[in-house]
Amino acid sequence: MTDLRIGAHVNQEDPLAEAAARKAGLAQFFLGDPQGWKGPEVRYPGGAQALRAAAQEADVDLYVHAPYVINVATSNNRIRIPSRKLLAQHMTAAAEVGAKALIVHGGHVLKADDPELGFENWVKTFERMEPQIPVL
């Protein structure tokens, strides 16, 4: 017996049906446009609480993938500050659906910036917000 769970990145409208169709024990999905700046939207019928309850009943672990546009590493304030806000919104929504973690790409610094600045900006991000769930 193994604790290894296999999953898939699935459609956000019904991640549980998608996981069941693949015989997956976990599902990763977006809560909105992966390339957009709009806040998260739970599209599952019945909303966040219904998805959370159904996932528990189905024994499917949920993971939410944050939009690709998030970049809290950058020194560009017009990107970093909205990215922090969007990251926080997705973290809250992911916690509401019972996600085990929020998956987010690390972002990048500007060409002339020292990569260390990107790490510092990530640290500042977490100094300004309390993670409700793990961020991967």
Side-chain angles (χ1 to χ4, degrees):
M1 188 62 106
T2 179
D3 291 335
L4 178 66
R5 300 193 82 174
I6 303 295
H9 196 138
V10 299
N11 188 294
Q12 61 188 308
E13 275 74 22
D14 192 347
L16 299 176
E18 298 274 346
R22 292 166 176 79
K23 298 180 179 152
L26 60 92
Q28 176 182 227
F29 56 99
F30 291 104
L31 287 173
D33 179 358
Q35 297 291 339
W37 287 98
K38 289 186 179 178
E41 175 188 354
V42 178
R43 296 181 184 165
Y44 187 80
Q49 296 308 317
L51 177 54
R52 179 186 205 120
Q56 288 175 342
E57 186 175 322
D59 193 29
V60 173
D61 293 335
L62 301 177
Y63 290 81
V64 171
H65 196 298
Y68 297 121
V69 296
I70 290 175
N71 182 2
V72 300
T74 185
S75 61
N76 182 336
N77 290 340
R78 294 183 309 179
I79 300 296
R80 189 182 64 258
I81 293 168
S83 290
R84 286 179 182 160
K85 179 181 177 183
L86 191 59
L87 179 66
Q89 290 171 344
H90 278 269
M91 184 179 303
T92 298
E96 288 172 355
V97 301
K100 300 291 183 187
L102 177 66
I103 299 160
V104 61
H105 292 256
H108 59 279
V109 295
L110 300 176
K111 186 176 181 178
D113 290 337
D114 183 336
E116 184 63 29
L117 177 65
F119 293 109
E120 291 170 11
N121 284 339
W122 267 100
V123 169
K124 288 176 187 175
T125 296
F126 290 115
E127 288 174 348
R128 290 179 168 98
M129 75 171 153
E130 183 73 29
Q132 300 163 307
I133 57 175
V135 176
L136 307 176

